[in-house]
Amino acid sequence: SDGSVVNRFQNTSLTSEGFTGIRVYNEKISDVFKSTSTEDSFLYMAVTKAGSKEILAEGNFFPSSFSDVKLPTPHISVSHVSMDQRDPFTINFSVTSDAVAPYVYLESGSINGIFSDNGIVMLPHVQYNMTFSSWQQFTQQDFEKNIHIRSVRDTY
């Protein structure tokens, strides 16, 4: 739950005929979690472009119910807040967490609008750059006063 890698699998020879829906990789769950407990671990998967670190797709798998998991209490912070210079109805900002934080939800309080991303699984010490766009005018101070962040950990 501290975000450290306990097991790493890599397969560089995956091939698939486009849009066939065939299995291209298989790993036993007992092999994936052989050096850790499923109550304090999760699987993060990423597909990258050949010869690149560019992530094409990613996903998470939680092998245990969140009621059985010993999640740490994350301290999530907002930083690098600035109004978009081209669009007065958009603000750019970053969020970071000091611990794994599943399903982090951002709420804008009394400012109507949408976030570029929401319901994310935050990894520790990774900066997530986001935007908030509204159909009403607001200031940076309004945004900072109204933003509210919660995660699954806040529900128990």
Side-chain angles (χ1 to χ4, degrees):
S1 62
D2 65 358
S4 61
V5 175
V6 294
N7 214 344
R8 185 178 302 273
F9 294 87
Q10 184 172 353
N11 188 328
T12 58
S13 62
L14 298 179
T15 58
S16 171
E17 306 211 5
F19 300 105
T20 58
I22 63 169
R23 183 184 313 202
V24 294
Y25 187 74
N26 190 42
E27 195 72 48
K28 289 182 182 177
I29 200 73
S30 59
D31 290 341
V32 173
F33 293 102
K34 66 183 171 191
S35 63
T36 187
S37 163
T38 58
E39 281 86 29
D40 62 3
S41 301
F42 72 99
L43 178 63
Y44 167 76
M45 301 160 282
V47 177
T48 58
K49 195 175 195 176
S52 169
K53 291 186 177 185
E54 178 186 354
I55 295 176
L56 302 175
E58 60 187 334
N60 300 289
F61 169 67
F62 295 90
S64 295
S65 167
F66 284 119
S67 60
D68 298 331
V69 176
K70 302 170 201 88
L71 286 172
T73 302
H75 295 94
I76 301 169
S77 60
V78 177
S79 62
H80 305 100
V81 180
S82 65
M83 295 301 295
D84 191 300
Q85 297 301 313
R86 297 167 303 210
D87 182 355
F89 297 96
T90 298
I91 198 160
N92 304 303
F93 65 100
S94 300
V95 290
T96 54
S97 176
D98 66 346
V100 172
Y103 304 113
V104 172
Y105 289 94
L106 306 164
E107 298 172 346
S108 58
S110 64
I111 305 171
N112 295 321
I114 57 171
F115 290 94
S116 59
D117 207 354
N118 220 339
I120 63 173
V121 175
M122 293 184 71
L123 301 176
H125 313 293
V126 173
Q127 181 174 300
Y128 296 84
N129 298 318
M130 301 187 181
T131 60
F132 173 76
S133 298
S134 179
W135 40 90
Q136 68 187 64
Q137 199 148 19
F138 65 97
T139 66
Q140 180 174 330
Q141 291 75 23
D142 293 336
F143 177 79
E144 291 172 341
K145 185 175 76 176
N146 280 278
I147 188 168
H148 182 70
I149 303 171
R150 56 191 177 112
S151 71
V152 165
R153 181 64 177 92
D154 296 317
T155 65
Y156 58 91

